[in-house]
Amino acid sequence: MNKIYNPKQDTWLEILKRPTKTIDDIEVTVKEIFKEVQKKGDEAVAKYTSIFDGIALDNYEVSNEEIQEAVGLISSELKGAIQLAKDNIYKFHRAQKTDKISIETIEGVNCWQEKRPIQKIGLYIPGGTAPLFSTVLMLAVPAAIAGCKEIVLCSPPDKKGKINPAILYAANLCGVTKILKVGGIQAIAGMTFGTQSIPKVYKIFGPGNQFVTVAKQLATQFGVAIDMPAGPSELLIVADDTAVPSFVASDLLSQAEHGTDSQVILVSTSKKLIDEVEIEIQAQLEVLPRKEIAQKAIENSKLIFVENDQTALNLINDYGPEHFIICSEYDDFYCNGIVNAGSVFIGNYTPESAGDYASGTNHTLPTNGYAKNYSGVNLDSFMKSMTFQKISEKGIQNIGKAIEIMAEAEGLQAHKNAVTLRLKSLEERE
Amino acid sequence: MNKIYNPKQDTWLEILKRPTKTIDDIEVTVKEIFKEVQKKGDEAVAKYTSIFDGIALDNYEVSNEEIQEAVGLISSELKGAIQLAKDNIYKFHRAQKTDKISIETIEGVNCWQEKRPIQKIGLYIPGGTAPLFSTVLMLAVPAAIAGCKEIVLCSPPDKKGKINPAILYAANLCGVTKILKVGGIQAIAGMTFGTQSIPKVYKIFGPGNQFVTVAKQLATQFGVAIDMPAGPSELLIVADDTAVPSFVASDLLSQAEHGTDSQVILVSTSKKLIDEVEIEIQAQLEVLPRKEIAQKAIENSKLIFVENDQTALNLINDYGPEHFIICSEYDDFYCNGIVNAGSVFIGNYTPESAGDYASGTNHTLPTNGYAKNYSGVNLDSFMKSMTFQKISEKGIQNIGKAIEIMAEAEGLQAHKNAVTLRLKSLEERE
């Protein structure tokens, strides 16, 4: 672990640097598969499913029987846990519904804003060792609240041609309308162009490896929106002597086990706490099943001592963490002052895992500094805001002259004409 | 003009096809200039300003004296018009402020969502013949309401090293914090990387030619967000015999004068109206100063007759117009049923120009079918939504077990540990 004392501001950029990956090699592969899926549809999907997942499938759609089988495989204990998480996620995202905003900007000029659901969306859920059924909840629950008509889920089949039952269970529970056994680049390409089996969607959500990440980026060049750009997961904790060192260490480790490139940072005004957390990390690390992964991430982690809370806050806003835990006497100071963070966890009894699973907030959050310019996934991610205006005769008389003057000044005569014609017709009538 | 009667649904895609451009050639140029600006900063900006704008500048920042000079050059008539537009835009966007959303999802688990401004934003305003000072209003007014700290505006200098006074006047009026005489690719690259003169920003807004469009796309690969992908402007009108043909024609022409690739579509259940509008267009076209441009766009325009309003609505939702005018007996039917449109204009006295300038709605809207998955610019475009959670001892006892079960099922033991440690410490205390 790297302990850093009182770093000068001009070194922050270097200290807080995130690992960058070159994606040039991957891009060529991704572009090729996109081209082939665009041209050949299911034939190409079959080819790459065979290459990457090692299985030939006749039918990509998960059947009702398969879903029922999955439901039978899930313990009632896990079903209960999923239900509790789903309820909390539902409540928090339901509360995000916004009313129509309506205003008469000037007499006779009524403007309003309404949100309408994105009609067709795609969710990508990775396969592999960790079946991210929690991500199914995080994406399908708000999609259903938003009112998206088609909610398509793609996830890669295992060697037996199956999707993990917990993923199927969660998808079925949360109103996914179609589940497809397709993964990787071919899944993203399929949802971008549409194939015989895979519906074309308007927006793609969800995590994935670097191939999926690059594929999602490429999808945006074909008119598809994505939830946000991706990067390795990260956690920054600010803590002082009111924090419990073992809790802090456990949170840092829960981030570290995600991957060797996970970013783990502790900022503190207490050298004592830093030392105690360091010892705790070593002790807790020993017994973790994913020790090797966590160990590597911890090696790159930073424990940073700063003299005061204002400096800490400045440094944190410079970094813009995805997850930000506050265990400080001055938690209000940090809550009010933080402008760049994905999700904020306050107090000793608010571990990051709570937000990852069950508190109700969304766990699909901006990494890689994107907290400076992107929101985490929320109800609005599944909707578009549209504006409406209705202008009366009186209304056009009130703003018509201003429009004519401005259109003329911008050299757009036909824009002016559209108003002039209307004003004249009203004058003539009088 | 192309009149089309009762097109079958399987031909809609072809009929409503938008012009596509190849951007591969441009991409090479854009990438090169980005590389150079990243490496050499102002030196590269100077080089390309000299090449593209034909002028060498010592200082890119617009001075206070230049702003005062511009203020003196604007007629009081235009000042008044700009003020009226600004007031309406302010009122409508101010009304979009959302309160903190706070909810206790389960006893002891408090979750809330707050929006915080994006700290540094960049506005790009094209130069050339049509000085788009209206776009300055549309972007700077909501940015100021959102509370963005740095609002940087870039616009290319003319041959005398000046920016159009109306742009300077509007920028100064609306709280832009720095105005720079830099245009094109080098402006976007400058705001992406930061140079000695140009601040690095987190999100770039604003229109531009295809070089600027490609540059904005490239900027997203370097961590900068953009307002939305761009395409040629477009208008679709649905009208029946309650519409005034000359008004409809004037609206179609106001769209057509934007550019030869503008998309202009009329959908109607009345053959009579289609014929009358066609005649009106020819008459009005003759006297337009931008006749040549409008003529070309009109040649590609479509006048589509359909049997009934439901078919019309389906076709319109398939297209997803940027601007959508409704002049129909059944305007409620269309208002309620439209799911894919940028901004909607209702009734005979609501021309598109009203929204372009002064009704209060934003004119930066999704083109090219992006109304299916993107919002137009609105107050939220300048903010990020962040979530917070604070869990009490009681709260973690309520959701802790569910988190443990789910983390275990996903194979993430350290995530489970972070909860287990806390639950144990509470048990021990009891």
Side-chain angles (χ1 to χ4, degrees):
Chain A
M1 270 173 289
N2 309 297
K3 288 202 267 187
I4 303 160
Y5 295 92
N6 276 325
K8 290 210 180 114
Q9 189 169 355
D10 58 11
T11 66
W12 292 357
L13 201 69
E14 186 55 34
I15 291 171
L16 299 173
K17 209 171 166 181
R18 292 162 162 104
T20 47
K21 280 181 186 168
T22 49
I23 55 164
D24 287 356
D25 298 354
I26 297 177
E27 227 174 50
V28 175
T29 310
V30 173
K31 277 190 178 166
E32 219 166 86
I33 298 177
F34 262 60
K35 244 188 216 160
E36 217 171 317
V37 171
Q38 184 175 26
K39 211 168 144 188
K40 298 184 183 168
D42 275 358
E43 192 190 323
V45 172
K47 175 180 159 189
Y48 289 105
T49 300
S50 164
I51 292 174
F52 293 123
D53 303 307
I55 183 144
L57 294 175
D58 289 334
N59 185 1
Y60 295 103
E61 191 169 351
V62 172
S63 68
N64 244 321
E65 290 72 44
E66 287 175 289
I67 291 170
Q68 289 321 313
E69 190 194 2
V71 172
L73 288 170
I74 304 299
S75 71
S76 59
E77 194 185 39
L78 182 53
K79 280 180 188 164
I82 288 176
Q83 189 61 48
L84 180 142
K86 180 181 177 243
D87 288 347
N88 287 350
I89 296 165
Y90 180 86
K91 282 179 212 162
F92 185 56
H93 289 79
R94 179 66 186 73
Q96 292 167 26
K97 273 222 169 193
T98 39
D99 291 329
K100 169 174 159 179
I101 289 159
S102 186
I103 191 167
E104 189 173 23
T105 51
I106 204 169
E107 195 194 345
V109 179
N110 283 288
C111 298
W112 65 98
Q113 183 197 45
E114 285 186 54
K115 288 173 186 162
R116 306 259 157 114
I118 298 174
Q119 300 294 299
K120 304 175 188 191
I121 62 154
L123 314 183
Y124 185 79
I125 304 294
T129 49
L132 299 181
F133 59 85
S134 61
T135 305
V136 179
L137 301 180
M138 294 294 173
L139 300 177
V141 169
I145 297 170
C148 301
K149 292 271 175 280
E150 287 184 38
I151 305 174
V152 178
L153 185 150
C154 286
S155 192
D158 64 16
K159 294 271 182 278
K160 291 179 188 154
K162 299 272 185 192
I163 292 179
N164 182 287
I167 291 175
L168 293 187
Y169 175 75
N172 184 55
L173 184 71
C174 300
V176 168
T177 57
K178 197 189 266 274
I179 309 171
L180 293 159
K181 291 182 252 183
V182 187
I185 305 167
Q186 63 272 24
I188 306 299
M191 291 193 281
T192 300
F193 301 115
T195 72
Q196 297 85 333
S197 299
I198 311 172
K200 177 180 165 55
V201 302
Y202 299 150
K203 189 169 184 177
I204 298 174
F205 296 78
N209 59 20
Q210 43 185 342
F211 290 97
V212 170
T213 299
V214 173
K216 280 172 67 188
Q217 277 172 5
L218 187 60
T220 64
Q221 291 185 26
F222 296 95
V224 176
I226 61 171
D227 46 1
M228 70 189 78
S233 194
E234 56 197 32
L235 166 66
L236 186 148
I237 301 180
V238 67
D240 59 18
D241 288 324
T242 65
V244 182
S246 63
F247 294 179
V248 172
S250 74
D251 291 329
L252 293 171
L253 284 169
S254 75
Q255 187 57 42
E257 79 172 338
H258 271 302
T260 54
D261 55 1
S262 280
Q263 293 278 292
V264 174
I265 297 169
L266 171 65
V267 176
S268 183
T269 49
S270 160
K271 287 179 188 166
K272 179 168 157 277
L273 181 89
I274 287 179
D275 293 339
E276 287 169 350
V277 168
E278 194 181 16
I279 293 165
E280 271 291 337
I281 286 177
Q282 290 309 340
Q284 293 182 27
L285 186 58
E286 282 311 311
V287 296
L288 284 184
R290 292 168 74 101
K291 181 184 163 185
E292 262 180 62
I293 291 172
Q295 176 85 55
K296 280 222 169 124
I298 286 294
E299 276 165 22
N300 295 318
S301 70
K302 308 273 186 331
L303 310 179
I304 303 173
F305 169 81
V306 291
E307 287 287 350
N308 59 61
D309 291 283
Q310 185 61 56
T311 305
L313 179 64
N314 294 347
L315 179 141
I316 295 160
N317 274 327
D318 250 30
Y319 181 67
E322 179 192 12
H323 303 98
F324 175 38
I325 296 182
I326 304 170
C327 289
S328 160
E329 194 185 341
Y330 307 106
D331 53 1
D332 275 353
F333 168 79
Y334 285 102
C335 270
N336 294 329
I338 184 73
V339 286
N340 299 323
S343 195
V344 183
F345 302 76
I346 303 149
N348 279 319
Y349 292 93
T350 315
E352 191 207 302
S353 339
D356 287 341
Y357 291 107
S359 65
T361 60
N362 209 292
H363 79 198
T364 309
L365 297 167
T367 59
N368 206 29
Y370 285 116
K372 292 174 183 169
N373 40 19
Y374 287 87
S375 304
V377 164
N378 60 81
L379 185 64
D380 282 347
S381 309
F382 300 88
M383 310 188 91
K384 311 150 297 167
S385 136
M386 286 165 54
T387 54
F388 297 77
Q389 52 238 289
K390 188 169 188 174
I391 303 176
S392 68
E393 297 177 3
K394 178 78 190 160
I396 197 71
Q397 284 170 326
N398 279 335
I399 64 171
K401 188 77 196 157
I403 300 170
E404 287 180 319
I405 293 166
M406 292 174 75
E408 176 114 47
E410 286 193 353
L412 295 172
Q413 195 65 36
H415 281 66
K416 181 183 175 184
N417 264 6
V419 172
T420 308
L421 271 180
R422 285 161 166 101
L423 291 180
K424 269 201 188 145
S425 87
L426 291 173
E427 272 167 33
E428 280 161 12
R429 246 183 32 197
E430 270 162 16
Chain B
M1 271 172 289
N2 309 297
K3 288 201 268 187
I4 303 159
Y5 295 93
N6 277 324
K8 290 210 181 113
Q9 189 169 352
D10 58 11
T11 65
W12 290 358
L13 201 69
E14 185 55 33
I15 290 171
L16 299 174
K17 208 172 168 181
R18 292 162 162 106
T20 47
K21 279 181 187 166
T22 50
I23 54 165
D24 288 353
D25 298 355
I26 296 178
E27 228 174 49
V28 175
T29 310
V30 173
K31 277 190 178 166
E32 219 165 85
I33 297 178
F34 262 59
K35 245 187 216 160
E36 218 171 315
V37 170
Q38 183 174 25
K39 209 170 147 188
K40 298 185 182 166
D42 274 358
E43 192 191 325
V45 172
K47 174 179 158 188
Y48 289 105
T49 301
S50 163
I51 292 174
F52 294 123
D53 303 307
I55 182 142
L57 294 175
D58 289 332
N59 185 0
Y60 295 101
E61 191 169 352
V62 171
S63 66
N64 245 322
E65 291 71 43
E66 286 175 289
I67 291 169
Q68 290 320 314
E69 189 194 4
V71 172
L73 287 169
I74 304 300
S75 72
S76 59
E77 195 185 37
L78 183 53
K79 281 180 186 164
I82 289 176
Q83 189 61 49
L84 180 142
K86 180 182 175 240
D87 288 346
N88 287 350
I89 295 165
Y90 179 86
K91 282 179 213 164
F92 186 56
H93 289 79
R94 178 67 186 70
Q96 291 167 25
K97 274 223 170 192
T98 40
D99 293 327
K100 169 176 159 178
I101 289 159
S102 186
I103 191 167
E104 190 174 21
T105 52
I106 204 167
E107 195 192 344
V109 179
N110 283 288
C111 299
W112 65 100
Q113 182 196 47
E114 283 185 55
K115 288 173 187 162
R116 305 258 157 114
I118 298 174
Q119 300 294 299
K120 305 176 187 192
I121 63 154
L123 314 182
Y124 185 79
I125 304 294
T129 49
L132 297 182
F133 59 85
S134 60
T135 305
V136 179
L137 301 180
M138 295 292 173
L139 300 177
V141 169
I145 297 170
C148 301
K149 293 270 174 281
E150 287 185 39
I151 306 173
V152 178
L153 185 149
C154 286
S155 192
D158 65 15
K159 295 269 183 279
K160 291 178 187 153
K162 299 270 185 192
I163 292 178
N164 183 287
I167 290 175
L168 293 186
Y169 175 75
N172 183 56
L173 184 71
C174 299
V176 169
T177 56
K178 196 188 265 274
I179 309 172
L180 293 158
K181 291 182 251 185
V182 186
I185 305 167
Q186 61 273 23
I188 306 299
M191 291 193 281
T192 299
F193 302 115
T195 72
Q196 297 85 333
S197 300
I198 310 173
K200 177 180 165 55
V201 302
Y202 299 151
K203 189 168 183 178
I204 299 174
F205 296 79
N209 59 22
Q210 45 187 338
F211 291 97
V212 170
T213 298
V214 173
K216 279 173 66 187
Q217 277 171 6
L218 187 60
T220 64
Q221 291 185 26
F222 296 95
V224 176
I226 61 170
D227 46 0
M228 70 189 79
S233 193
E234 56 197 33
L235 166 66
L236 185 148
I237 302 180
V238 67
D240 59 18
D241 287 324
T242 66
V244 182
S246 63
F247 294 179
V248 172
S250 73
D251 291 329
L252 293 170
L253 284 168
S254 74
Q255 187 55 44
E257 79 173 336
H258 271 301
T260 53
D261 55 0
S262 281
Q263 292 279 291
V264 174
I265 298 168
L266 171 64
V267 177
S268 183
T269 50
S270 160
K271 288 179 188 167
K272 180 169 156 277
L273 181 88
I274 287 179
D275 293 340
E276 287 170 350
V277 169
E278 193 181 18
I279 293 164
E280 270 292 337
I281 285 177
Q282 291 308 339
Q284 293 183 27
L285 186 57
E286 282 311 311
V287 295
L288 285 183
R290 291 167 75 102
K291 180 184 164 185
E292 262 179 62
I293 291 172
Q295 175 86 56
K296 280 222 171 125
I298 286 294
E299 275 164 22
N300 295 318
S301 71
K302 308 275 187 331
L303 311 178
I304 304 172
F305 169 82
V306 291
E307 287 288 350
N308 60 61
D309 290 283
Q310 185 61 56
T311 305
L313 179 63
N314 295 346
L315 180 141
I316 294 161
N317 274 326
D318 250 31
Y319 181 67
E322 179 192 12
H323 303 99
F324 175 38
I325 296 181
I326 304 169
C327 289
S328 161
E329 194 185 339
Y330 306 106
D331 52 2
D332 276 353
F333 168 79
Y334 285 102
C335 271
N336 294 328
I338 184 75
V339 285
N340 300 323
S343 196
V344 183
F345 302 77
I346 302 149
N348 279 318
Y349 291 93
T350 315
E352 192 207 301
S353 340
D356 288 339
Y357 291 108
S359 65
T361 60
N362 209 291
H363 78 198
T364 308
L365 296 167
T367 58
N368 205 29
Y370 286 116
K372 291 173 183 170
N373 39 18
Y374 288 87
S375 304
V377 165
N378 59 80
L379 185 63
D380 281 347
S381 310
F382 300 88
M383 310 188 89
K384 310 150 298 166
S385 136
M386 286 164 56
T387 54
F388 297 77
Q389 52 239 287
K390 188 170 188 173
I391 303 178
S392 69
E393 298 178 4
K394 178 77 190 159
I396 197 70
Q397 284 171 324
N398 279 335
I399 65 170
K401 189 77 197 154
I403 299 170
E404 288 180 319
I405 294 166
M406 291 174 77
E408 174 114 48
E410 286 193 353
L412 296 173
Q413 195 65 35
H415 281 64
K416 182 184 174 183
N417 265 5
V419 173
T420 308
L421 272 179
R422 286 163 166 99
L423 292 180
K424 270 200 186 144
S425 87
L426 291 174
E427 272 168 33
E428 282 159 13
R429 247 183 32 197
E430 271 164 18

